[in-house]
Amino acid sequence: MELEATDGYGVVLVTATSQAEAEAIAEALITAKLAACVSFTPIHSIYTWQGQVHKDQEWQLFIKTDLAQFAALVAKVQEVHSYDVPEIIALPIVAGSPAYLQWLGEQVRR
């Protein structure tokens, strides 16, 4: 398979409290052209918040985007999200199929 460098594309991870919230975040990002695709799945998280250990069912979002839009994406997630401090972590895409990367770039505004 042919791979090419990504020119600043990445996957942003965000957790949400429910499927409805995950869908709302995804739709807001797609509508604003801040993401090309958002996939999400249920997960179980264990974490410390305000000195207490929590065990919660959450939804993990995988947001495929142009990292040049990261600041705007963060602002949009925070606008829609119910958490005081939502997880918003960007991971670079090191390489990908040329056709997918071209499509990704066409979907996200620069």
Side-chain angles (χ1 to χ4, degrees):
M1 170 187 263
E2 183 182 338
L3 299 177
E4 73 177 43
T6 65
D7 191 33
Y9 299 133
V11 175
V12 177
L13 303 178
V14 172
T15 52
T17 188
S18 66
Q19 182 176 354
E21 183 171 65
E23 288 178 4
I25 293 167
E27 288 180 16
L29 294 174
I30 295 295
T31 300
K33 294 223 163 265
L34 296 172
C37 174
V38 181
S39 306
F40 47 90
T41 187
I43 61 167
H44 188 79
S45 297
I46 299 175
Y47 58 94
T48 301
W49 177 248
Q50 297 179 337
Q52 299 290 322
V53 174
H54 294 263
K55 298 178 183 180
D56 292 323
Q57 294 291 354
E58 294 185 293
W59 286 77
Q60 182 72 64
L61 287 81
F62 302 90
I63 304 162
K64 280 69 82 176
T65 190
D66 182 338
L67 294 177
Q69 295 297 321
F70 186 70
L73 185 148
V74 169
K76 182 61 74 175
V77 169
Q78 290 175 329
E79 177 184 310
V80 178
H81 211 295
S82 65
Y83 290 171
D84 291 336
V85 181
E87 171 190 76
I88 308 173
I89 300 171
L91 305 172
I93 296 173
V94 176
S97 73
Y100 183 82
L101 295 177
Q102 179 181 347
W103 171 82
L104 192 158
E106 291 168 354
Q107 303 312 307
V108 180
R109 64 183 161 106
R110 271 214 139 156

